[in-house]
Structure formats: structure tokens, C-alpha cells
């Protein structure tokens, strides 16, 4: 495994060259301004009222305008200057953001709402090093480029990609070099997604817009300094602000792109393991799910679909006909049963694979200096790698996928895309291995997304990948947290990883439910992981070959409890799919830290287990063995009700709650609406002809509003094309009554239908209930009131509860 050799072990020159940086002049441009200084110039643009982009271009260099991350094209034009004796204020009348330039000593500071949030300390500088070692096959860099900033002592910092370090990542120096960590648990400093983004508890973020490998130093020296260090590339960063956490993250995804809606089947249960070795085993597994009436929507085939052995076959990328004699029929039969097929692929083409000579002849591989294919050894064999930056490489790889998709494959899994081994001597069309390492998975996902748009424009892609970069979400990438240990420690790290990645735009981060690495059995651990997974963006049990990950292969007692978790996952589909819609239009993650509700609560800012699932669920995973009670903090924004017992918990309190083996603690926000369905065998049977609408009455809730999004679940651009409906549920309460209103917004290209809704009202005992002004009969069941509602298209039912 190639080590990161930007260790830069001894620094010989600090920032002396910047001590003499002199202000020369400022010039207004059509959409921003430039600042000339003695060693270069700054180029500054207000991209919108919440984002400022700053680039430094040293003397002798040209500005590189190409960003791998940014898609936002807007720029504010109304930039004004206010010059004083030693300062210049630069601002837009439409923004609360402004820049203050201090002429001597030179300094740039950023203000939001007239409060300084960030300033350059030394700004840009070159740093020289004396390397102490040279690892064979790697380039040791004798200088790096640095951007350095002042931060305040009280800030809590998040970001840097997928890591297991604790929610507050301040005090760490983070390598920016995507790399897998096999069998990790509670400590993982470097993982598959290294995103050069820092978010502050002061509700601003800094994105360093350069993909080259380097470091992100979050005040590791405890001197209130934030530092970005890299071997080369752009000296560009964006400062982003928000009035709330959801506003901040929405602004970041406006900058880098929003996640398109995944296909609705991807919210169901996956059958997945490493791996199914034959067509017979695949068919037998799905039959067992159906015979036992356990819902399942997809089956994922690992390495064995293209070879009988793990080593020596990678890169075949075609069916092994000995073990999968009729893949077309297998896929077709699965599709008829509503089961989608997902295949693993890797970018490595082994010299022993059936595709090796083809890729050499077509010149689609990364090369050496002499243009010959670059090869090296790693676990799977002697290999080259597809150059996904080269037009020929992209075309070749997409044609592999196009053939599989035409066979009926519904989802694509890209594995080892960090890339797992990518020596510095390799060259690509996009640059050296070190220059493109962190964006390899990003471009891999892009070529698939672009291929879908070209050849399957109406089909939503499912792109499962374990490595990416800033903005990879816009390609529909579904990330997962890698080869986590099958242990309690492995489970304990998952909430933090998912929450942090959601804050960084990658809202579908999830884990191999049950854990991947390890061949030991722990049914309690497995169940707790699945129970947590119900409230994950993707529900995908997966493990090494020695351990059955599928619910259907568990012992009777374990299976019965696990089936309840799978059933709940399907029952919550209307709610979960609405969260996906919210993410697609606003960037807000499905899993949300509690501090989204209480940004000033220091305990909440450091909480790495409890979280909000959407706005209306509070989830407390159980991450240790034998737990019979646990402490839960109930956010002060509302009262909360136990999902199973209905017990009320007061807002802003911390309480000890009882825990049982059947489920983890789940709480529902007072005043909220939760749409649910009865459990399905798979999503092919899903509709909203009939659904349940749970309303959690709370006397302290005066008014609430919730939504339910629905479309066909498979066609691209349903939102943009107005091919959807949004149901809105509102409540308004007084001491005498509560009025509930159901309203529908129907897109002009959507065919709405009449619906039968069973309204289930919790925690309330009204004297009478009226539906559209007429008194109605209701029934009681398990401490809730059930009211049937015939919801005709283009009507607005009103339900009045009188007390």
C-alpha cells in the first residue's frame, strides 16, 4: 500500500516570505475585485449572498479557473468598496457577508452580520522541507503550498471527510489522501473520503477548492490556526455562511451540487454478502426471502460474478459462465419478482484478466512516462488501472456498464476507487497519480452518471461507491463507510461518520449493517446494527463470506427480531422517501445531528450517537452489549413520545430510559405527522392508494406542518418535470380544539389518484371528531384513535378534534 509521502517531516522555512507582503492596489471587476500585492494578486467573487470565493495567484503563475467541486455559476454584480486610512471594506448590498482588507500589515478578514468569522493569518505561502526518507516508488516533495487562517479559541470544527475521531475534529492534522482502513473501529484518522471542507460551530464553512493530495490541519498545534497544505494546484477557497445549520449545508450543496433522487427501490432491504458464488445461490437466496415473506428489493453480487477466485480475476468484468450459466434469464426472472440486480466492479485490470490485452490495445490504462501501461502488485494480483480521466478510458469503461445495464442490471457498485493502490509514478490524462488520487472515484462516478444521461436518460442510476470528493453527491453517488470491523467498536463509529458526511453533502453515507470485517458471530450486535440501520439512508446488511449477513439465514430467534426491523424499514418508506426529496431540493441530510436544533448547546455539539432522522424522529442507537437502560437527551424544541409505548418525555430534559432487545429507543416529535405503509414484499408493490397517517398530538404544540412527497420512484428529473405530488399536513390547536388539514399540490405532469387514509391520532382523547364539518365515528386501538378519511383528488379534507 502506497504511503502518503507528503510527511514533510522537517520544516526549514516557515512563513517569512509573507511577513513582507505589501498591499499595492485594489481593482473592481465586473463581478468582484482583484487585490494586487507584492507577491501576487487575489481574485475575489461573491458567488451569491452567502458564499465568497477567493483565489491567490502568485507572481509568475496563471489562475486555474477549473474546479472539480464547484457547479454554482452565479456571481453578484453589486460590489461596493468603502476605503478608510488603513482598511478597505468590500461588500454587496444584497449580502450580510463582507471582506475587510487591512493594508498594513496586510490581512484579509471575513465578516458575517458585522461579526468577524475568519481571517487569513499568513494566507498563501510556500513551505520548504527536508525529507527524512524516500519510500520506494514514491515522490518525496521538498516543498508544499499552504493557506493559513486565524480561528477563535472557542470554535468546534467538523469536516475533513469520513473519519472516526469524535464529532469535534479540532486538534487533528488530517491527511487528504483517500485510503481504505480495513477492520477499523472507534479510531480511524484516514478513510475513503477526504473532503477539504471545514465547518465551524460559528455557522460558517471553508471549502478548499483543490483536489491534490495534502493535509488539513484543524489547530493541531493548539495555536488557533486552521491550515490547508498541498503539493500543488489551485490556491482557491470558498467561505460559506448560513443563519442555521440547515441553511449552511444547503448553501454548500448549492456550491457543489445537490444529490438527485435515487430510485425508490434503493430504500428497501438488500441481500448482500461477499459473495454469492453462483446463479443457483442467488436464486436460492431470493426464493428463501420470498418463502419466508421477508421484504427484499435487491441482491448485490460481489467478486464471484466474474471469477471463481478472489485473486487473479479482477478486471474480467464479464460473467463467469461456469457459475452463472444464464445471467440474462437470472436477471429477467429476478426483475419479474421485483428484485433488482447490483454488480460489483473495480477499476483495476489485472495482467491475468481476460480484458488485459484489450485495455492495452485500446490505450485506456494509466501509464508510465514512456506511455506504456503502469503496473504494480497488490493483493489481487499484478495490475493496471483504467484512466477515467481519458476520453478513451471513459468510453471503454462505460461500454462495459452499458452492456450490463442492457442485460437488465439495475445498480452498479464501484469498489476500491480510492484508488486502493495508486503509486505516484502512474500518469493519467488528468495529471499524476498524486494530483488526481482524491478525485478518481469522483470522476468514476461522473462517467457513469454521464453515461446514464446519454444512453438511459429516463432511468435513475444507483451508484454505490466507497471513495469520492467534494460534490460527488451530484452524480448520484451512494457512499458507504468501508470495511468496518464486525464488532461493537465498529458500530460505535458509524453514527459519527454518517452525520459528518451528511454535513458535507454526502447524505447517503451508510454502513455494512452487521459489520464487515471479522468471522465471529454476535447476534446481539447484528440486531442492534440492523435496528440502527432502519434509520439509515440505505439499509444494506453485508459481511465477509464466512458470516451470513442476510436476515433470512439467521437462527429462528434472531430472525424474528430482525424481521421486525426490516418490516419497520418498509413501513416508514413514505416518510423516508420524503426525506430524500428534501435532500434533493435543499441538501439537508436525512441523518441530522442534534445540534441542528440547538446550535449553542455544547453537549449537543459533541454528541456522536443520538441523532435526528429527518425532523420528526429522535434515534438513540444501542452500541454496547447487554444494555438494559440508557441516557437520552430530548431536544428542547418540542416534547417527545416513545414510538412504541406512547410515553411522553418533556422537551429539554435528560432521562434514563429502559431498553429491550426488540428495538432501540425511538421517539417522535410532539405535534408531528408520520406517514406510514403496511409492510411490502418489495417496492414493486408500492403505492399511496392506501396509507396510514399518524398524528402525535401534543398540547404544547400550537401549529405544525409536515409534507409527504410522491412520484413514480424511477423516472429521472421528476421534480424538474413537475411529475410529482406533495401532500401537506397541518395542525392548528387551541385549548378547545385542534384542526388538521390535508392538502395536495399536484404537478402538472403527474396523474394523482384518490386515496384512502387511516388517520391515527396519538396521545389524545377528544369528545368528538368532525370530518369536513360532519361528525364521524372513530375507533380506538392501542391508545390511539383511528379515523378513516376518503381523500378524493383535488379536495382538502379538514378534521376537527373537539375537547
Amino acid at each position: 500500500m502506497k504511503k502518503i509521502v507528503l510527511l514533510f517531516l522537517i520544516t526549514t522555512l516557515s512563513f517569512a516570505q509573507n511577513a513582507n507582503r505589501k498591499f499595492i492596489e485594489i481593482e473592481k471587476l465586473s463581478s468582484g475585485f482583484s487585490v494586487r500585492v507584492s507577491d501576487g494578486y487575489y481574485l475575489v467573487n461573491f458567488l451569491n449572498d452567502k458564499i465568497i470565493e477567493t483565489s491567490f495567484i502568485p507572481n509568475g503563475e496563471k489562475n486555474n479557473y477549473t474546479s472539480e467541486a464547484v457547479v454554482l455559476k452565479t456571481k453578484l454584480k453589486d460590489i461596493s468598496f468603502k476605503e478608510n486610512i488603513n482598511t478597505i471594506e468590500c461588500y454587496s448590498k444584497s449580502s450580510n457577508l463582507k471582506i475587510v482588507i487591512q493594508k498594513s500589515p496586510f490581512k484579509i478578514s471575513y465578516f458575517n452580520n458585522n461579526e468577524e468569522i475568519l481571517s487569513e493569518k499568513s494566507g498563501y505561502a510556500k513551505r520548504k522541507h527536508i525529507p527524512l526518507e524516500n519510500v520506494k516508488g514514491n515522490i518525496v516533495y521538498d516543498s508544499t503550498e499552504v493557506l493559513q487562517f486565524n480561528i477563535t479559541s472557542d470554535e468546534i470544527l467538523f469536516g475533513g471527510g469520513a473519519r472516526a475521531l469524535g464529532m469535534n475534529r479540532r486538534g487533528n492534522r488530517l491527511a487528504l489522501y483517500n485510503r481504505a482502513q480495513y477492520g477499523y473501529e472507534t479510531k480511524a484518522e484516514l478513510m475513503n473520503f477526504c473532503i477539504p471542507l471545514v465547518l465551524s460551530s460559528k455557522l460558517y464553512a471553508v471549502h478548499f477548492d483543490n483536489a491534490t493530495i495534502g493535509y488539513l490541519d484543524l489547530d493541531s498545534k493548539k495555536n488557533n490556526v486552521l491550515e490547508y497544505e498541498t503539493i500543488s494546484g489551485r490556491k482557491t477557497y470558498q467561505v460559506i455562511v448560513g443563519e442555521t445549520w440547515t441553511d449552511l449545508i444547503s448553501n454548500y450543496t448549492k456550491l457543489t451540487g445537490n444529490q438527485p433522487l435515487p430510485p425508490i427501490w434503493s430504500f428497501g432491504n438488500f441481500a448482500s454478502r461477499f459473495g454469492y458464488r453462483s446463479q443457483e445461490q442467488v436464486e436460492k437466496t431470493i426464493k428463501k426471502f420470498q418463502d419466508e415473506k421477508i421484504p427484499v428489493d435487491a441482491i448485490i453480487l460481489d467478486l464471484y460474478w466474474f471469477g471463481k477466485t478472489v485473486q487473479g480475476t479482477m478486471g474480467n468484468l464479464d460473467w463467469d459462465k461456469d457459475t452463472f450459466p444464464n445471467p440474462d434469464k437470472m436477471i429477467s426472472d429476478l426483475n419479474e419478482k421485483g428484485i433488482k440486480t447490483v454488480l460489483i466492479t473495480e477499476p483495476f485490470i489485472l495482467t491475468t484478466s481476460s480484458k488485459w490485452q484489450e485495455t492495452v490495445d485500446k490505450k485506456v490504462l494509466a501509464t508510465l512516462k514512456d506511455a506504456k501501461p503502469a503496473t504494480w502488485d497488490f493483493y489481487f494480483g499484478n495490475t493496471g488501472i483504467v484512466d477515467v480521466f481519458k476520453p478513451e478510458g471513459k468510453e471503454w469503461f462505460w461500454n462495459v456498464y452499458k452492456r450490463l445495464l442492457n442485460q437488465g442490471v439495475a445498480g452498479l457498485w464501484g469498489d476500491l476507487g480510492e484508488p486502493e493502490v495508486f503509486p505516484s509514478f502512474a500518469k493519467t490524462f488528468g495529471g499524476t497519480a498524486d494530483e488526481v488520487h482524491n478525485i478518481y472515484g469522483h470522476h468514476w462516478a461522473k462517467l457513469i452518471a454521464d453515461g446514464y444521461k446519454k444512453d438511459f436518460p429516463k432511468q435513475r442510476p444507483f451508484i454505490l461507491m466507497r471513495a469520492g470528493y467534494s460534490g460527488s453527491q451530484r452524480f448520484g453517488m451512494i457512499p458507504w463507510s468501508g470495511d468496518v470491523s464486525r464488532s461493537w467498536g465498529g458500530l460505535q463509529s458509524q453514527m459519527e461518520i454518517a452525520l459528518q458526511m451528511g454535513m458535507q453533502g454526502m447524505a447517503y453515507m451508510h454502513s455494512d449493517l452487521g459489520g464487515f470485517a471479522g468471522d465471529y458471530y454476535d447476534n446481539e450486535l447484528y440486531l442492534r446494527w440492523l435496528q440502527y440501520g432502519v434509520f439509515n439512508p440505505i439499509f444494506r446488511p453485508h459481511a465477509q463470506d464466512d458470516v451470513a449477513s442476510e436476515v433470512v439465514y439467521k437462527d429462528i430467534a434472531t430472525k424474528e427480531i430482525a424481521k421486525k426491523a426490516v418490516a419497520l424499514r418498509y413501513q416508514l418508506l413514505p416518510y423516508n422517501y420524503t426525506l430524500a426529496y428534501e435532500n434533493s431540493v435543499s441538501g439537508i441530510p436525512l441523518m441530522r445531528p442534534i445540534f441542528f436544533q440547538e446550535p449553542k448547546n455544547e453537549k449537543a455539539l459533541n454528541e456522536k450517537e443520538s441523532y435526528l432522522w429527518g425532523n420528526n424522529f429522535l434515534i438513540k442507537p444501542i452500541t454496547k452489549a447487554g444494555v438494559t437502560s440508557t441516557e437520552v437527551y430530548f431536544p428542547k424544541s418540542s416534547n417527545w413520545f416513545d414510538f412504541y409505548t406512547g410515553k411522553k418525555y418533556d422537551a429539554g430534559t435528560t432521562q434514563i430510559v429502559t431498553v429491550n432487545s426488540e428495538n432501540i429507543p425511538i421517539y417522535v416529535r410532539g405535534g408531528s405527522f408520520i406517514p406510514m405503509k403496511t409492510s411490502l414484499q418489495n417496492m414493486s408493490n408500492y403505492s399511496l392508494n392506501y396509507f396510514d397517517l399518524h398524528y402525535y398530538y401534543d398540547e404544547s404544540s400550537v401549529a405544525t406542518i409536515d409534507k409527504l412527497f410522491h412520484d413514480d420512484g424511477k423516472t429521472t428529473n421528476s421534480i424538474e418535470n413537475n411529475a410529482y405530488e406533495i401532500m401537506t399536513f397541518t395542525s392548528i390547536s387551541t385549548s378547545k380544539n385542534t384542526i388538521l388539514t390535508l392538502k395536495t399540490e399536484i404537478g402538472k405532469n403527474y396523474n394523482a389518484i384518490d386515496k384512502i387514509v387511516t388517520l391515527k391520532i396519538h396521545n389524545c382523547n377528544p369528545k368528538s371528531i368532525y370530518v369536513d364539518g360532519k361528525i364521524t365515528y372513530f375507533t380506538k386501538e392501542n391508545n390511539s384513535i383511528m379515523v378513516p378519511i376518503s381523500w378524493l383528488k383535488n379536495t382538502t379534507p379538514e378534521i376537527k378534534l373537539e375537547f
Side-chain angles (χ1 to χ4, degrees):
M1 178 67 212
K2 174 182 179 290
K3 295 182 179 178
I4 305 170
V5 205
L6 7 153
L7 297 178
F8 320 138
L9 295 174
I10 297 180
T11 301
T12 59
L13 177 65
S14 184
F15 294 88
Q17 79 170 78
N18 283 6
N20 296 318
R21 178 173 289 157
K22 304 297 183 185
F23 171 83
I24 297 175
E25 64 178 355
I26 186 168
E27 179 184 358
K28 187 173 181 180
L29 305 176
S30 61
S31 59
F33 60 92
S34 68
V35 180
R36 173 67 62 182
V37 292
S38 52
D39 58 340
Y41 69 96
Y42 288 86
L43 187 62
V44 181
N45 287 294
F46 285 68
L47 300 187
N48 62 23
D49 61 341
K50 298 293 179 70
I51 305 172
I52 294 178
E53 179 177 87
T54 302
S55 299
F56 183 78
I57 301 92
N59 288 334
E61 292 189 20
K62 292 183 178 180
N63 189 27
N64 177 2
Y65 289 93
T66 302
S67 171
E68 297 288 349
V70 171
V71 295
L72 186 64
K73 301 297 184 185
T74 60
K75 292 180 182 178
L76 298 184
K77 304 288 186 181
D78 60 333
I79 308 303
S80 300
F81 302 116
K82 181 180 179 182
E83 189 164 1
N84 300 309
I85 295 175
N86 194 40
T87 60
I88 304 172
E89 292 185 14
C90 310
Y91 57 92
S92 163
K93 292 180 181 178
S94 59
S95 173
N96 290 324
L97 264 174
K98 69 177 179 181
I99 296 181
V100 175
I101 298 167
Q102 182 177 285
K103 298 177 184 178
S104 181
F106 183 81
K107 181 182 177 184
I108 290 182
S109 303
Y110 297 86
F111 287 73
N112 186 36
N113 295 317
N114 292 317
E115 178 184 352
E116 183 174 334
I117 54 172
L118 185 73
S119 65
E120 287 195 354
K121 183 176 177 66
S122 298
Y124 168 78
K126 280 198 171 182
R127 178 180 283 169
K128 290 188 176 181
H129 308 270
I130 300 175
L132 296 184
E133 62 175 319
N134 188 347
V135 181
K136 184 179 179 181
N138 294 291
I139 300 169
V140 178
Y141 298 92
D142 62 0
S143 70
T144 53
E145 299 180 303
V146 177
L147 294 172
Q148 195 181 67
F149 300 83
N150 297 299
I151 56 175
T152 59
S153 60
D154 58 342
E155 290 179 65
I156 290 175
L157 301 179
F158 310 91
R163 325 254 177 178
L165 298 167
M167 285 299 285
N168 183 3
R169 294 179 171 177
R170 186 166 184 159
N172 290 283
R173 187 169 187 254
L174 307 176
L176 298 174
Y177 186 93
N178 291 352
R179 187 177 73 188
Q181 183 167 332
Y182 181 82
Y184 70 90
E185 295 191 272
T186 56
K187 189 74 171 177
E189 295 183 0
L190 181 60
M191 294 179 66
N192 312 68
F193 290 84
C194 295
I195 296 178
L197 173 70
V198 181
L199 302 103
S200 167
S201 56
K202 291 174 68 175
L203 289 178
Y204 73 87
V206 187
H207 176 249
F208 297 98
D209 194 0
N210 180 29
T212 307
I213 62 175
Y215 284 96
L216 191 59
D217 193 315
L218 308 183
D219 194 28
S220 66
K221 298 181 180 66
K222 296 182 170 42
N223 58 351
N224 299 326
V225 171
L226 168 66
E227 184 175 279
Y228 171 72
E229 182 175 10
T230 183
I231 60 172
S232 63
R234 306 180 82 210
K235 278 68 74 173
T236 297
Y237 61 93
Q238 293 91 23
V239 176
I240 310 151
V241 298
E243 299 305 312
T244 64
W245 275 106
T246 54
D247 183 37
L248 176 62
I249 293 166
S250 180
N251 292 330
Y252 169 72
T253 57
K254 286 177 186 174
L255 179 73
T256 59
N258 281 7
Q259 179 108 19
L261 269 174
I264 198 166
W265 61 260
S266 64
F267 293 90
N269 179 30
F270 287 73
S272 181
R273 67 157 69 181
F274 178 41
Y276 301 107
R277 294 175 182 264
S278 68
Q279 182 172 334
E280 180 184 10
Q281 189 181 13
V282 168
E283 293 168 344
K284 176 184 174 183
T285 298
I286 292 303
K287 185 176 186 303
K288 191 166 178 60
F289 270 100
Q290 293 185 321
D291 288 347
E292 299 196 20
K293 294 183 169 46
I294 299 175
V296 64
D297 262 271
I299 187 162
I300 298 184
L301 277 62
D302 213 310
L303 295 168
Y304 299 112
W305 75 272
F306 55 70
K308 299 178 186 65
T309 59
V310 171
Q311 293 174 309
T313 61
M314 187 172 288
N316 287 347
L317 296 173
D318 206 349
W319 296 95
D320 183 332
K321 290 299 182 68
D322 291 337
T323 49
F324 291 87
N326 197 340
D328 295 78
K329 185 177 187 306
M330 178 190 76
I331 295 169
S332 176
D333 290 347
L334 290 172
N335 280 333
E336 285 184 10
K337 296 173 182 176
I339 308 300
K340 308 301 182 183
T341 304
V342 181
L343 300 182
I344 195 172
T345 61
E346 298 85 7
F348 296 100
I349 310 297
L350 299 190
T351 56
T352 56
S353 77
S354 61
K355 292 282 193 298
W356 172 253
Q357 195 57 48
E358 178 185 331
T359 57
V360 172
D361 293 343
K362 293 191 174 181
K363 299 181 179 180
V364 302
L365 301 173
T367 65
L368 301 170
K369 288 182 178 179
D370 60 5
K372 293 180 179 178
T375 60
W376 56 89
D377 293 330
F378 77 144
Y379 173 78
F380 298 95
N382 184 254
T383 193
I385 192 170
V386 178
D387 187 347
V388 298
F389 304 92
K390 189 177 184 181
E392 294 87 344
K394 289 187 281 189
E395 182 181 11
W396 181 88
F397 217 167
W398 172 246
N399 283 333
V400 171
Y401 291 127
K402 184 178 178 180
R403 170 175 52 81
L404 296 171
L405 291 167
N406 279 325
Q407 278 188 305
V409 169
L412 303 170
W413 174 8
D415 199 16
L416 312 184
E418 297 78 31
E420 181 156 310
V421 182
F422 200 21
S424 296
F425 57 72
K427 309 290 182 184
T428 76
F429 188 79
T432 67
D434 287 346
E435 289 171 331
V436 303
H437 179 95
N438 286 344
I439 51 171
Y440 188 94
H442 185 75
H443 276 257
W444 187 9
K446 182 179 187 301
L447 81 84
I448 296 174
D450 288 347
Y452 266 94
K453 288 177 183 178
K454 175 177 172 285
D455 293 315
F456 305 94
K458 294 183 179 181
Q459 182 179 339
R460 295 183 194 175
F462 179 82
I463 307 171
L464 180 67
M465 286 199 170
R466 78 174 196 185
Y469 178 67
S470 310
S472 290
Q473 70 275 357
R474 67 178 180 266
F475 306 128
M477 181 187 286
I478 305 292
W480 93 98
S481 61
D483 296 338
V484 59
S485 169
R486 172 176 278 264
S487 65
W488 290 101
L491 173 57
Q492 288 160 17
S493 63
Q494 294 311 300
M495 286 63 71
E496 173 197 343
I497 293 170
L499 291 169
Q500 289 268 0
M501 286 293 282
M503 293 167 64
Q504 297 171 71
M506 303 292 285
Y508 286 84
M509 174 57 78
H510 65 288
S511 63
D512 292 342
L513 299 182
F516 177 81
D519 59 0
Y520 46 92
Y521 292 82
D522 185 335
N523 287 331
E524 183 186 7
L525 169 67
Y526 176 79
L527 289 170
R528 291 308 192 197
W529 215 315
L530 257 63
Q531 290 163 355
Y532 155 67
V534 171
F535 301 93
N536 269 206
I538 302 294
F539 187 89
R540 187 181 57 83
H542 184 70
Q544 287 179 326
D545 203 18
D546 294 334
V547 181
S549 59
E550 306 94 332
V551 171
V552 77
Y553 285 125
K554 295 300 179 182
D555 63 84
I556 293 174
T558 304
K559 187 190 301 182
E560 285 306 305
I561 298 175
K563 283 170 66 175
K564 294 178 182 178
V566 176
L568 180 57
R569 174 71 179 187
Y570 279 79
Q571 289 161 9
L572 287 172
L573 177 63
Y575 179 86
N576 294 351
Y577 193 55
T578 303
L579 300 186
Y581 159 75
E582 291 177 355
N583 170 259
S584 181
V585 297
S586 71
I588 183 172
L590 291 76
M591 293 175 63
R592 305 169 190 175
I594 289 176
F595 61 74
F596 274 31
Q597 300 278 315
E598 300 178 33
K600 303 292 187 183
N601 184 334
E602 188 171 344
K603 185 177 179 181
L605 285 163
N606 286 283
E607 173 59 48
K608 64 176 184 177
E609 287 197 352
S610 296
Y611 63 94
L612 297 166
W613 178 242
N615 187 59
N616 292 337
F617 279 102
L618 172 65
I619 310 301
K620 174 66 176 182
I622 300 300
T623 61
K624 294 180 181 178
V627 172
T628 57
S629 64
T630 189
E631 183 178 281
V632 177
Y633 172 70
F634 295 94
K636 60 186 178 183
S637 51
S638 61
N639 296 321
W640 298 85
F641 295 91
D642 187 298
F643 180 71
Y644 294 101
T645 69
K647 182 178 178 180
K648 178 181 174 181
Y649 293 87
D650 291 338
T653 63
T654 300
Q655 301 194 39
I656 303 297
V657 302
T658 301
V659 174
N660 62 56
S661 62
E662 301 287 311
N663 50 68
I664 58 174
I666 304 168
Y667 305 94
V668 184
R669 182 186 298 277
S672 66
F673 294 88
I674 307 292
M676 295 178 67
K677 280 284 291 184
T678 54
S679 191
L680 309 166
Q681 185 60 37
N682 56 57
M683 300 302 186
S684 64
N685 301 317
Y686 179 71
S687 78
L688 287 182
N689 297 15
Y690 303 87
F691 70 94
D692 296 335
L693 182 62
H694 295 255
Y695 172 63
Y696 286 81
Y697 173 79
D698 180 12
E699 67 277 3
S700 67
S701 176
V702 176
T704 58
I705 180 169
D706 283 309
K707 293 183 178 181
L708 170 57
F709 174 84
H710 187 57
D711 64 4
D712 70 2
K714 59 184 180 182
T715 307
T716 55
N717 302 318
S718 64
I719 299 170
E720 296 86 344
N721 294 333
N722 290 301
Y724 64 87
E725 63 179 334
I726 296 177
M727 287 152 270
T728 302
F729 316 123
T730 60
S731 71
I732 299 176
S733 295
T734 68
S735 59
K736 295 181 179 180
N737 60 57
T738 292
I739 296 175
L740 311 179
T741 306
L742 316 184
K743 186 178 180 180
T744 309
E745 172 195 338
I746 302 173
K748 64 181 180 180
N749 295 316
Y750 184 77
N751 246 340
I753 58 174
D754 297 339
K755 299 173 177 63
I756 301 297
V757 179
T758 301
L759 178 63
K760 296 187 176 182
I761 305 168
H762 300 261
N763 321 311
C764 163
N765 190 23
K767 292 179 181 177
S768 55
I769 298 179
Y770 294 83
V771 176
D772 292 332
K774 297 178 181 179
I775 195 163
T776 187
Y777 294 99
F778 54 89
T779 58
K780 293 186 177 181
E781 182 180 292
N782 297 328
N783 298 318
S784 63
I785 294 167
M786 302 174 65
V787 183
I789 306 291
S790 180
W791 191 355
L792 303 180
K793 184 172 60 175
N794 297 320
T795 64
T796 305
E798 182 180 279
I799 302 92
K800 184 177 182 181
L801 314 179
E802 287 193 346
F803 305 117

